[in-house]
Amino acid sequence: MHEGCGRTARVATVYVAAALLAGCGALAPVPAPVPEARPDHLDITLIGFNDLHGNLEPPRMAHTVPGPAGPVAVPAGGMAYLASAIAALKARGPHHAVVSAGDMVGASPLVSSLFLDEPTIEAVNTMRIDFNAVGNHEFDRGWRELLRLQQGGCEKFTARQPCQIRQPFAGAQFGFLAANTVREEDGRTLLPATGLKRFEQGGATVTLGVIGLTLRATPSMVSPAGVAGLRFEDEAATANALVPQLKVQGADVIAVVIHEGGSTTAGVQETSCAGLSGDIVPILERLDPAVDVVVSGHTHQAYVCDYSRVNPAKPFLLTSAGQYGTLVTDIQLRVDTRTRRVVRKVARNVIVQGEAFTGAQGRVPMTSVVPSFAPDPQVQSIIETYRAAAVPLAQRPVGQAAGPLRRTPSPSHESALGNLVADAQLHATRAPEHGGAQLSFMNPGGLRADLVPDGQGLVRYGQLYAVQPFGNQLVVKTFTGAQIRAVLEQQFASGSNTVQRPRVLSVSEGFSYRYDLSQPPGARISAMALHGAPLRDDMPVRVVLSSYLDSGGDHFTVLAQGQERRVGPLDLDALEAYFRDRSPVAVPALGRITSAGRTAH
């Protein structure tokens, strides 16, 4: 057979509908392709995760699941493995969407945070997700920096330098949604409120509408300066107003992706509403039942719950994928193409098993009880680039510690690490030329990791960074004894600070007090003493605190008051200086705060 005839044969093989004529002549006419039949239904995979917090590298966490011989710990997390898990779920069908329920960035480990979380955005870009509902931590560096993460560029809004590795930074290639975050000046949302994604098959089209919501309490959780000019509106009312708008735009399936959540008593892979509680519940009770799925976050808990079991009038599927990319939620939606309604919805949390690790509880090996995932090479390359840039700084020794410094609270809600940081802040600002501080306050939510020295007692810069990743400046102001008493009362009665869920500040060495929760508000604090002397209400005291608390963060509105304000160094720099000057640093004793009566929980 000559060459031309051979080529014709190969073409005929590709287009199977054709047949060769005798003698390798002309091809028979090719029939028109048969149109794909209109399907009765479309199956859509909605993939969810939340509270990633820039954990590029595996966070050394495990999820416990039942095994053939008892409970099995499964090592989980790492963004290269998360990328592969998402890709595997996408590969099961042609119709899929990926959403994140907030706190993708902020309070991140050094490899991401040192570079203003640009590495995390780059890594998520490779995953080809669709939408991220903005969480409170996306505002940690202010709303202008949040817009830079979405839009790209190298404009500087923080103490750290943007675009240290990539110039320019391209920004997120997925949509940030913030339906209830509104600019006060014009009433417009800071970022888009909703997003749409359409799926087509056999002439049938199904459209997914996504509403992205930030928890209403965000202003109390970030520096007020970072959300100045914004207001955060009611979550359920905002979503309910958007549902008919999405319907007009053609949405057949509606997902609310919200950075608010709850918890259940069910296991990580169970699909049960057992013990469902938390701030998400009153939102669900007011939510339009036209919503099909609620992908939630914020509480770092994992659950899959058919909410119709709780309230038959509210047939939502409620999900949350825990934290740090250790889980991803696989949500399967079947849509009837005639009625354009969801006729079946099921979900499960998939553990992102990637690599073994050794932690405080010993070795956590890989297991065959659940699937494992190979690292995505493109994401792994991004991680390695930024890790290489961060390692020299992270590994730099800063001093020694006499023992582990942990956040574990005592019965009075004091912690060794909180006391240490309070002492370090006082040490940095005690000199008259540095502010003349006499007392230090430290909020527990600002401590993001325990501080455990190595076998030789050595502490490295990366560990300090993990403890205090926010880059707050220290501020020294003068308060009266009466104002300090009012601040301490606000630990138990201000906003979300309650007797049931107190937020107890760490205090520096030399200051002590007692609280009694059996007393009424305003009478719970007693025995305040500074260096052994009673602290009178009219006595002026120079107090050092973070810029977060300085602006009234964590509902400590009294701390926004004060006189003779002086700005000091970064909190992280103060902690490093303390180790440099005091090594080996002793583990601070507890007992600065004592409690009586009913114990806070």
Side-chain angles (χ1 to χ4, degrees), residues 76 85 104 197 306 388 391 438 500 542 559:
M104 179 181 289
K197 187 168 187 179
D306 178 355
V391 159
Q438 301 165 276
Q500 293 73 30
R542 294 288 282 168
L559 290 177

mmCIF file of all heavy atoms in Angstrom, residues 76 85 104 197 306 388 391 438 500 542 559:
data_model
loop_
_atom_site.group_PDB
_atom_site.id
_atom_site.type_symbol
_atom_site.label_atom_id
_atom_site.label_comp_id
_atom_site.label_asym_id
_atom_site.label_seq_id
_atom_site.Cartn_x
_atom_site.Cartn_y
_atom_site.Cartn_z
ATOM 1 N N ALA A 76 -2.824 14.044 58.124
ATOM 2 C CA ALA A 76 -3.651 14.782 57.170
ATOM 3 C C ALA A 76 -3.100 16.178 56.911
ATOM 4 O O ALA A 76 -2.487 16.796 57.774
ATOM 5 C CB ALA A 76 -5.084 14.886 57.691
ATOM 6 N N ALA A 85 -6.272 15.889 46.089
ATOM 7 C CA ALA A 85 -7.580 15.407 46.536
ATOM 8 C C ALA A 85 -8.700 16.111 45.779
ATOM 9 O O ALA A 85 -9.673 15.474 45.348
ATOM 10 C CB ALA A 85 -7.730 15.633 48.042
ATOM 11 N N MET A 104 -8.964 31.597 54.293
ATOM 12 C CA MET A 104 -7.958 30.976 53.442
ATOM 13 C C MET A 104 -6.574 31.496 53.812
ATOM 14 O O MET A 104 -5.582 30.766 53.770
ATOM 15 C CB MET A 104 -8.257 31.286 51.975
ATOM 16 C CG MET A 104 -7.260 30.709 50.993
ATOM 17 S SD MET A 104 -7.671 31.142 49.289
ATOM 18 C CE MET A 104 -9.130 30.143 49.025
ATOM 19 N N LYS A 197 -22.017 29.662 38.200
ATOM 20 C CA LYS A 197 -21.289 28.722 37.355
ATOM 21 C C LYS A 197 -22.306 27.837 36.658
ATOM 22 O O LYS A 197 -23.193 27.261 37.307
ATOM 23 C CB LYS A 197 -20.310 27.875 38.166
ATOM 24 C CG LYS A 197 -19.415 27.018 37.266
ATOM 25 C CD LYS A 197 -18.252 26.398 38.013
ATOM 26 C CE LYS A 197 -17.299 25.689 37.037
ATOM 27 N NZ LYS A 197 -16.136 25.091 37.725
ATOM 28 N N ASP A 306 -27.543 16.752 57.429
ATOM 29 C CA ASP A 306 -28.796 17.012 56.718
ATOM 30 C C ASP A 306 -29.692 17.752 57.699
ATOM 31 O O ASP A 306 -30.298 17.147 58.588
ATOM 32 C CB ASP A 306 -29.425 15.697 56.272
ATOM 33 C CG ASP A 306 -30.767 15.897 55.569
ATOM 34 O OD1 ASP A 306 -31.246 17.047 55.514
ATOM 35 O OD2 ASP A 306 -31.331 14.902 55.097
ATOM 36 N N ALA A 388 12.290 27.678 50.594
ATOM 37 C CA ALA A 388 13.723 27.966 50.454
ATOM 38 C C ALA A 388 14.033 29.411 50.815
ATOM 39 O O ALA A 388 15.073 29.702 51.415
ATOM 40 C CB ALA A 388 14.164 27.663 49.026
ATOM 41 N N VAL A 391 13.492 29.569 54.899
ATOM 42 C CA VAL A 391 14.253 28.712 55.819
ATOM 43 C C VAL A 391 15.393 29.426 56.524
ATOM 44 O O VAL A 391 15.546 29.294 57.750
ATOM 45 C CB VAL A 391 14.760 27.453 55.085
ATOM 46 C CG1 VAL A 391 15.933 26.815 55.818
ATOM 47 C CG2 VAL A 391 13.621 26.446 54.949
ATOM 48 N N GLN A 438 4.246 49.964 82.791
ATOM 49 C CA GLN A 438 4.246 49.325 84.113
ATOM 50 C C GLN A 438 3.467 48.013 84.129
ATOM 51 O O GLN A 438 3.611 47.217 85.057
ATOM 52 C CB GLN A 438 3.621 50.277 85.142
ATOM 53 C CG GLN A 438 4.321 51.616 85.269
ATOM 54 C CD GLN A 438 3.455 52.614 86.004
ATOM 55 O OE1 GLN A 438 2.599 53.270 85.426
ATOM 56 N NE2 GLN A 438 3.668 52.709 87.315
ATOM 57 N N GLN A 500 -19.859 32.328 80.315
ATOM 58 C CA GLN A 500 -19.749 30.981 79.753
ATOM 59 C C GLN A 500 -18.558 30.851 78.808
ATOM 60 O O GLN A 500 -17.944 29.792 78.713
ATOM 61 C CB GLN A 500 -21.035 30.618 78.996
ATOM 62 C CG GLN A 500 -22.269 30.470 79.874
ATOM 63 C CD GLN A 500 -22.796 31.819 80.383
ATOM 64 O OE1 GLN A 500 -22.648 32.850 79.708
ATOM 65 N NE2 GLN A 500 -23.401 31.804 81.565
ATOM 66 N N ARG A 542 0.795 53.147 83.271
ATOM 67 C CA ARG A 542 1.193 53.027 81.868
ATOM 68 C C ARG A 542 1.072 51.554 81.462
ATOM 69 O O ARG A 542 1.685 50.667 82.056
ATOM 70 C CB ARG A 542 2.627 53.508 81.669
ATOM 71 C CG ARG A 542 2.829 54.992 81.919
ATOM 72 C CD ARG A 542 2.203 55.829 80.802
ATOM 73 N NE ARG A 542 3.041 55.847 79.600
ATOM 74 C CZ ARG A 542 2.621 56.301 78.421
ATOM 75 N NH1 ARG A 542 1.368 56.717 78.265
ATOM 76 N NH2 ARG A 542 3.438 56.306 77.385
ATOM 77 N N LEU A 559 -10.069 49.609 76.206
ATOM 78 C CA LEU A 559 -8.661 49.745 75.815
ATOM 79 C C LEU A 559 -8.466 50.721 74.661
ATOM 80 O O LEU A 559 -7.336 51.127 74.379
ATOM 81 C CB LEU A 559 -8.083 48.374 75.444
ATOM 82 C CG LEU A 559 -7.902 47.406 76.621
ATOM 83 C CD1 LEU A 559 -7.391 46.057 76.142
ATOM 84 C CD2 LEU A 559 -6.951 47.986 77.671
#
